Amino acid sequence: MGKGKNTAGIIAGLLAGAAVGVVLGMLYAPEEGKETRKKLKAKANDLKDQALDEYDKVSEKVKSEYGNLSDKAKENLDKVVSSIKESYEKYKHTAANKASEVVKEVETELDALK
């Protein structure tokens, strides 16, 4: 996720720098005020559209990565649950076998005492 934040920050910085450059260039250009304002508005709209496009791209990438991570987490959780169940079954069988052995030994000892 840190990578996505860095990318978004870089994109925002580049867009802000471009906007400042365009505004300064237009303000110092020898044109009529009305024409300059018209160009500034058009450039602002272009920059807004570019920012929205970049936002959409980053947003889709984040959603995709979230989906991938979510799938991997579920897969790993399933593996852990399966491993725990297998270990429990092995332990249960081992404990049952040991209990049977102890019962037999106790019965043998009791028979020997009769």
Side-chain angles (χ1 to χ4, degrees), residues 105-114:
E105 287 178 16
V106 168
E107 286 175 346
T108 303
E109 292 294 323
L110 286 175
D111 286 342
L113 291 175
K114 287 184 183 179

Side-chain angles (χ1 to χ4, degrees), residues 47-101:
L47 288 173
K48 179 186 81 169
D49 291 342
Q50 287 176 359
L52 289 174
D53 288 344
E54 289 301 319
Y55 173 80
D56 288 342
K57 288 178 188 176
V58 171
S59 177
E60 285 302 314
K61 188 172 183 178
V62 167
K63 287 177 187 176
S64 174
E65 288 298 318
Y66 173 78
N68 290 341
L69 289 173
S70 178
D71 291 344
K72 286 180 184 177
K74 288 176 186 174
E75 189 177 302
N76 286 337
L77 181 60
D78 289 343
K79 286 179 184 178
V80 168
V81 168
S82 177
S83 177
I84 289 171
K85 284 180 180 178
E86 286 176 23
S87 296
Y88 170 74
E89 289 300 319
K90 287 179 185 176
Y91 173 76
K92 184 172 79 172
H93 290 295
T94 301
N97 290 338
K98 287 289 182 185
S100 293
E101 289 175 15

Side-chain angles (χ1 to χ4, degrees), residues 1-11 58 61-62:
M1 285 295 219
K3 206 174 197 182
K5 287 183 181 179
N6 287 342
T7 303
I10 290 171
I11 291 170
V58 171
K61 188 172 183 178
V62 167

Side-chain angles (χ1 to χ4, degrees), residues 15-29:
L15 289 174
V20 169
V22 168
V23 169
L24 287 175
M26 289 183 165
L27 288 175
Y28 286 102

